[in-house]
Amino acid sequence: MTDALELDALWEDFHRAVNMTSQELAAWLRVSDADESAEPLPEHAGEPTGQHVLAILQKRRTDLTEEDIQVMFEVVDTVEAETDVDNEPEAEDSPRRHRLMSVGHDPLRS
């Protein structure tokens, strides 16, 4: 179990890394998962991690589960690793930007 100080730091790191609102993330997950043949139900759109990030954004810190905490660590690590690559402005439709947006981070806002 994560202690209170570590959880506070993780909460802040997660919300710094996830710079999209829950509405923006939900819309992005629907768009990114849509294709010409079919579109999933909105609550099932996007990758599982993106859906989990969306669920975390709608929770209070005191309601986090161990699984939530693990996903938060993964998202923070992913965003830090991907954004440390370079600080060049990101093309709007780059695969890297799309990967990051799928976990709630838009590099154009950094």
Side-chain angles (χ1 to χ4, degrees):
M1 184 70 181
T2 308
D3 70 23
L5 289 175
E6 188 178 24
L7 184 57
D8 288 345
L10 176 61
W11 182 261
E12 289 178 27
D13 291 344
F14 176 79
H15 281 76
R16 192 173 14 259
V18 176
N19 64 4
M20 296 170 67
T21 66
S22 58
Q23 294 86 359
E24 290 168 332
L25 178 56
W28 170 252
L29 293 174
R30 285 191 302 274
V31 167
S32 68
D33 214 16
D35 66 15
E36 295 158 7
S37 62
E39 191 171 321
L41 294 172
E43 63 271 9
H44 298 294
E47 296 292 321
T49 302
Q51 283 296 322
H52 204 137
V53 169
L54 187 58
I56 292 168
L57 289 174
Q58 298 168 348
K59 289 185 176 189
R60 296 176 301 180
R61 188 180 334 195
T62 56
D63 296 332
L64 296 173
T65 66
E66 284 297 318
E67 187 178 4
D68 294 336
I69 292 168
Q70 182 61 38
V71 168
M72 290 170 72
F73 275 119
E74 290 171 12
V75 168
V76 169
D77 289 346
T78 298
V79 170
E80 287 177 353
E82 287 277 341
T83 56
D84 281 347
V85 172
D86 60 37
N87 290 327
E88 297 290 320
E90 197 66 34
E92 277 195 41
D93 62 349
S94 76
R96 180 173 162 260
R97 180 176 184 231
H98 292 181
R99 276 193 313 276
L100 286 168
M101 288 177 68
S102 292
V103 295
H105 179 81
D106 186 347
L108 293 180
R109 293 187 183 172
S110 297

